[in-house]
Amino acid sequence: MTDTYDTRLGLFIDGEWVTAGRETQPVLDPASGRTLGELPLATPADLDRALAAADRGFKTWRATAPQERAAVLSRTAALVRERADLLARLATLEEGKPYTEAKGEVMATAALLDFHAGEAVRIYGRVLPRPTGTRSLVLHQPVGPVAAFCAWNFPVMNPVRKLSPAIAAGCSVILKPSEETPGAAVEILRCFQDAGLPDGVAQLVFGVPDAVSRQLLASPVTRKLSFTGSVPVGKHLLKLAADTVMKSTMELGGHGPVLVFDDCDLERTLDTLVAHKFRNAGQVCVAPTRFHVQQGIYERFAKGFAERTAAITVGNGLEKGIQMGPMANPRRPEAIAGIVADAVGAGARLLTGGVPGEGDGFFFAPTVLADVPLAASAMNEEPFGPIALIGSFANADDAIAEANRLPYGLGAYCFTENGRLQNRLGDEIEAGMVAINTVRLSWGDAPFGGVKDSGYGSEDGPEGIAAHLITKAVHIA
């Protein structure tokens, strides 16, 4: 498969692609460290122009019939499927995930666009009972221009998760994806453009993240913040957004607990969890991370997990048979090595991995640590990498307490055949999403989001569109 990087990087403002005369930043291939291309960065004047365009675009788009909004989203979904190979290859080149994973991401992205197309025509209000001759209406209307910031780990899906529900609701958007994975976002914008999205409804900008966020969030034009990323950055953006009291959706970090009870189907559970743990090299906000295993099966689980992990094939995601690619940027292998060293120093057993990969890419071996003490930093801070942390518990009370111990509350996983216990886990675990005997948390028709420090509000599902609406009561006498 070719590793040619054949996308035209640029900013997209008011229907025009802007490429020349800007400061640039290199885009790197994490599998080799080579430079793929040069990304132009927005100037303050570019951002002012994007804000003005979003303001005009909102006035036009909010008045556009829901059926036309739906048609644009449906046509975009068709173009994403048509261009799936290009989009998947760009995601692999820029972020490192295996091509098969990237292709799955592209198809899930198209399905999400289809779902939002259907929901665009189902934004209902209600009529309240009043005396004859009077009316009270409850209306749901688009909130206004959205400033959306997304992370690098899902280069195709993350931009669409921001654009699609906003466009369905009738909002305009200024999207700032990660500067480390711009090409996939550029091609997604081309799909929207070719599907007939009017000028001004969606802008695409790149730049120095803090400067971009400060300018966009300080503007009275911006009426909603949507952010996917780390907890510290999310809290910083919320402080900026507070000055204009804007609506916010925050999808922040996680530290996914996995509760494995001794009545589970152990072999099936191991096969499922190992594959999911090292998906995208563990660089997933809902990645299973803390594996809490009941004492009766603890050693068997640890041994089976380590054996399966050691057999994972690591390499360039464009090559056949690769199961895990590199870390996304040169910062991550060093950070992961430090996390492993801290855990081993605190008393954890290193069962496999624990070392950076060889060569020029940003590789790190899939790693399993057992008997990890709570004092280790990895047990308290999101590692965001290919590390599995395994510890034991005695009973359900202990397992639930440990699952809820941290301030994170995004995704959680449980494996048990006990139906009564399944109900209890669903009720008592503090997370926005709980998966029982499965690892899939992301569905187009289901809300995706967290609680506590993992954020608030939802993406996906009808709730994702509702997050871009205001509620208005109209009383007529």
Side-chain angles (χ1 to χ4, degrees), residues 8 63 65 95 153 172 177 189 191-193 208 220 222 241 253 263 270 272 324 348 350 366 409 415:
R8 296 160 290 161
E95 197 272 344
N153 56 340
S172 59
L189 255 294
C191 289
F192 275 100
Q193 183 185 28
V208 178
T222 307
D263 68 337
L270 284 166
T272 300
M324 193 185 94
L350 177 62
F415 289 82

Side-chain angles (χ1 to χ4, degrees), residues 284-451:
V284 182
C285 56
V286 293
T289 301
R290 294 176 288 144
F291 295 82
H292 306 294
V293 184
Q294 200 157 19
Q295 291 170 351
I297 60 170
Y298 176 70
E299 290 297 338
R300 290 167 55 206
F301 181 93
K303 181 175 183 291
F305 202 105
E307 289 173 348
R308 287 166 172 80
T309 300
I312 291 174
T313 304
V314 180
N316 186 323
L318 291 177
E319 297 174 3
K320 290 184 177 181
I322 296 299
Q323 296 169 289
M324 193 185 94
M327 308 295 288
N329 57 58
R331 305 183 300 276
R332 297 308 301 155
E334 182 178 353
I336 297 301
I339 291 170
V340 172
D342 175 81
V344 172
R349 281 189 291 150
L350 177 62
L351 301 185
T352 189
V355 295
E358 298 179 356
D360 296 327
F362 313 140
F363 292 95
F364 198 91
T367 299
V368 180
L369 296 164
D371 307 338
V372 188
L374 297 185
S377 65
M379 292 296 287
N380 300 283
E381 302 169 12
E382 182 180 26
F384 214 67
I387 304 176
L389 312 166
I390 305 178
S392 65
F393 68 84
N395 54 52
D397 288 342
D398 293 342
I400 293 171
E402 177 55 30
N404 294 340
R405 176 178 62 87
L406 296 182
Y408 301 99
L410 190 56
Y413 305 86
C414 309
F415 289 82
T416 176
E417 298 300 318
N418 185 320
R420 187 180 299 276
L421 179 57
Q422 291 172 1
N423 287 330
R424 182 186 174 192
L425 295 168
D427 285 342
E428 295 187 21
I429 289 178
E430 297 170 352
M433 299 167 286
V434 180
I436 299 176
N437 293 337
T438 182
V439 290
R440 183 168 179 180
L441 292 173
S442 178
W443 298 81
D445 58 357
F448 187 98
V451 298

